[in-house]
Amino acid sequence: MLRRIVTMRRILHVKGDVMCTMLLLVLFCLLLYARQVVLSSGWDRPVWKLEIHGSTSSSRTLLDTSGAIGGQESPGFPPSPSDPRLPPCKLQTKSKAHVKSKGKYKLRQRNVVPTKIAAKPLPTMPPFDFERYLREKDNRDFKLLIDQPEKCHIGGAGRGRREGSTAAPYMLIAVKSVAADFDKRQVVRRTWGKEGLFRNGVSIRTVFLLGVPRNRTALPLWDRLLTYESQTFRDILLWDFEDTFFNLTLKETHFLKWVNNSCPHVKFIFKGDADVYVNVENILEMLQGQKPDKDLFVGDIIINAKPIRRRSSKYYVPEFVYGVALYPNYAGGGGFVMSGHTALRLSSACQQVELFPIDDVFLGMCLQLIGVKPSRHQGFRTFGIPRPSAAPHLQTFDPCFYRELMVVHSLSVPQIWLMWNLLHDPKLSCHNRTSPTSWPFKWKGRMGETEVQETDYGERQVFVTHQ
């Protein structure tokens, strides 16, 4: 029994020695593996760390001629000759000492100029399918859904006329609009687009030009709205084409065709947008002495404008649509005046000219075809009134300033309403004019003079500034 106990002790002792030996071997292998990892990671040798700042310009503000960063000398590699914009590198060394003393040692922070975060790009319009436009551009006759056949029939009695006879209006106001802009149409009806008789029995009629809304869910029952609106005001012209930006050319051709059929004897036409303010009295004074049976086209004329090739622009036109370097002279679509004679000629010419997706330029092409040179007038401000940089305190929304103009673009509904009431306030007095003028308007030069002594739109590239 005693012998067995001694034998068991020897066996256990041997097993214990073996187990200790095996454990020591495992620990030794782990140490060897850890050393190999440390050596392969390069902690025992210097490490070259390349730090490139966010922008070369911000890095140059921290670098001097000796390659120091933040005012401290630091060895570094010179920039590569193949890339002179590459900033110098900074040498940093890491060792076990740094690792062991990581909790106690804190590196000194450098004064680095933060790089500006790039702003998010502005959202761009979905790409327009120009190829589809070219395939379908020959479809240029659309049905007139809402008509005003009696718009240009004005009853009246006078010398040389029988009682109850009809006559064409002196001036027809045509306003481009969309179905959802009921508020804009209302403010036009109640202000500068009001129908009626003016001085010397001058008659004015107004129509609004619309197409079918593209997004019909945004305005439920839009067709009922326009039907009721037409029954109430009798000034809606609605065609069966989508009311989009590039279909404004269709709105131009269909309106001219409507004038040719329903209003051929109108003397003058003002055509513009719903977000403009118009001094109708000034336009009527300008038209005094003008013959409606002669060519006349007056507005804010843009010359030497270049096609926009930037895809993000609203006015982008690719070269396969228009390959010429310059556009013909054209009037800013915010508002222009033409004689009834010119409108009839344009109606015929626009049926011959290939449709172009920008209506202002398209009308310039039609004018070029019939040989009419549009006249520029300083009273038409279809690009708005810029605030002079030399006089930032100048108040451009001044009724005394608007009193001297004819058309001013890009006004909101409250601004149009406010300016109308300000200009028609009997208490309005304008004593700070540089030169006294007679009410309602006195303009420099004579009609037809296009050589105005001012910076040309072509030199300013106004058409390009649109975004």
Side-chain angles (χ1 to χ4, degrees):
M1 186 67 181
L2 182 60
R3 185 179 298 176
R4 289 182 179 180
I5 294 174
V6 173
T7 304
M8 287 294 297
R9 284 183 179 180
R10 288 180 179 177
I11 294 173
L12 291 176
H13 186 269
V14 171
K15 288 184 177 180
D17 292 341
V18 172
M19 292 179 63
C20 289
T21 304
M22 294 296 296
L23 182 61
L24 289 175
L25 288 174
V26 170
L27 290 176
F28 182 73
C29 291
L30 289 175
L31 288 176
L32 289 177
Y33 178 78
R35 184 175 182 277
Q36 184 66 26
V37 171
V38 170
L39 292 177
S40 62
S41 63
W43 285 10
D44 283 345
R45 65 176 182 271
V47 177
W48 294 97
K49 182 179 180 182
L50 179 63
E51 290 185 354
I52 303 177
H53 296 280
S55 64
T56 306
S57 58
S58 61
S59 300
R60 286 173 179 170
T61 60
L62 304 176
L63 297 173
D64 54 20
T65 56
S66 60
I69 302 180
Q72 297 179 353
E73 286 290 335
S74 172
F77 289 116
S80 171
S82 60
D83 190 2
R85 297 175 299 174
L86 186 66
C89 307
K90 180 185 175 183
L91 175 64
Q92 289 185 347
T93 59
K94 290 185 180 180
S95 62
K96 292 182 180 179
H98 285 88
V99 176
K100 293 179 180 179
S101 61
K102 185 175 181 181
K104 299 180 181 179
Y105 181 75
K106 187 175 182 180
L107 295 177
R108 183 169 53 188
Q109 295 181 352
R110 296 167 298 157
N111 297 324
V112 180
V113 179
T115 304
K116 293 183 179 180
I117 301 176
K120 292 183 178 180
L122 295 176
T124 58
M125 299 178 62
F128 181 74
D129 191 351
F130 284 99
E131 295 182 357
R132 179 183 176 186
Y133 177 85
L134 293 177
R135 290 194 303 267
E136 299 178 356
K137 66 182 177 60
D138 292 332
N139 185 16
R140 52 196 304 164
D141 293 321
F142 292 85
K143 183 180 179 181
L144 183 59
L145 301 177
I146 299 180
D147 191 10
Q148 307 299 332
E150 303 297 324
K151 175 58 68 173
C152 288
H153 295 172
I154 301 174
R159 186 171 59 184
R161 294 181 183 172
R162 295 181 181 180
E163 186 173 355
S165 63
T166 60
Y170 181 81
M171 186 168 72
L172 176 67
I173 296 177
V175 183
K176 294 178 290 185
S177 183
V178 295
D181 287 350
F182 175 78
D183 56 340
K184 293 182 180 180
R185 291 191 293 276
Q186 277 295 84
V187 76
V188 170
R189 291 183 182 111
R190 296 177 179 273
T191 56
W192 58 268
K194 186 182 298 184
E195 295 184 335
L197 293 176
F198 283 69
R199 299 177 183 178
N200 301 324
V202 172
S203 58
I204 292 181
R205 291 291 182 266
T206 302
V207 291
F208 294 93
L209 316 177
L210 295 94
V212 176
R214 186 173 190 175
N215 185 6
R216 298 165 190 169
T217 59
L219 182 62
L221 301 178
W222 63 271
D223 50 344
R224 300 294 294 272
L225 167 67
L226 296 181
T227 300
Y228 292 146
E229 195 173 347
S230 175
Q231 294 174 357
T232 303
F233 302 103
R234 299 187 181 280
D235 56 7
I236 298 295
L237 295 177
L238 173 66
W239 286 276
D240 190 19
F241 56 77
E242 285 190 347
D243 209 339
T244 60
F245 174 73
F246 284 127
N247 276 348
L248 288 176
T249 302
L250 292 176
K251 194 173 290 188
E252 191 75 54
T253 59
H254 285 73
F255 168 68
L256 291 172
K257 184 178 180 180
W258 181 87
V259 171
N260 191 36
N261 296 331
S262 301
C263 201
H265 302 296
V266 63
K267 294 178 174 59
F268 299 98
I269 297 174
F270 170 82
K271 186 172 181 292
D273 293 336
D275 59 345
V276 299
Y277 182 82
V278 183
N279 265 323
V280 176
E281 294 89 347
N282 294 352
I283 293 179
L284 293 177
E285 184 182 3
M286 179 194 71
L287 293 176
Q288 289 181 5
Q290 300 302 318
K291 297 180 180 180
D293 57 346
K294 302 294 182 182
D295 281 320
L296 174 70
F297 196 97
V298 187
D300 193 356
I301 309 303
I302 295 91
I303 64 175
N304 297 331
K306 300 178 180 179
I308 307 301
R309 306 303 188 191
R310 188 174 66 256
R311 292 180 178 271
S312 60
S313 173
K314 176 182 178 181
Y315 300 90
Y316 164 70
V317 174
E319 292 189 17
F320 68 84
V321 174
Y322 187 83
V324 186
L326 296 175
Y327 285 136
N329 297 352
Y330 66 93
F336 54 84
V337 176
M338 59 182 167
S339 66
H341 176 72
T342 302
L344 295 180
R345 295 187 65 196
L346 283 175
S347 176
S348 175
C350 289
Q351 298 299 321
Q352 305 175 38
V353 177
E354 256 189 61
L355 288 182
F356 189 73
I358 302 177
D359 60 324
D360 304 351
V361 179
F362 172 77
L363 201 58
M365 297 175 180
C366 299
L367 288 171
Q368 189 179 51
L369 179 63
I370 63 177
V372 174
K373 189 175 182 180
S375 301
R376 179 163 54 183
H377 195 292
Q378 297 180 12
F380 291 79
R381 304 297 180 92
T382 59
F383 290 97
I385 305 174
R387 186 185 299 273
S389 57
H393 62 281
L394 180 64
Q395 298 296 324
T396 56
F397 194 76
D398 186 344
C400 294
F401 185 59
Y402 275 64
R403 190 177 185 177
E404 305 296 328
L405 300 176
M406 294 188 182
V407 178
V408 182
H409 200 192
S410 298
L411 270 72
S412 63
V413 169
Q415 287 176 333
I416 294 175
W417 177 260
L418 175 60
M419 185 54 65
W420 170 264
N421 286 277
L422 288 173
L423 287 175
H424 290 80
D425 189 347
K427 299 179 182 179
L428 176 65
S429 61
C430 301
H431 301 292
N432 298 328
R433 297 184 188 175
T434 56
S435 59
T437 59
S438 60
W439 173 256
F441 184 78
K442 185 175 181 179
W443 46 285
K444 300 177 182 179
R446 297 176 297 174
M447 278 301 307
E449 293 185 351
T450 57
E451 292 77 19
V452 184
Q453 297 298 325
E454 62 179 29
T455 304
D456 185 54
Y457 277 124
E459 297 176 2
R460 293 169 51 195
Q461 294 184 344
V462 175
F463 195 77
V464 180
T465 59
H466 287 283
Q467 299 297 332

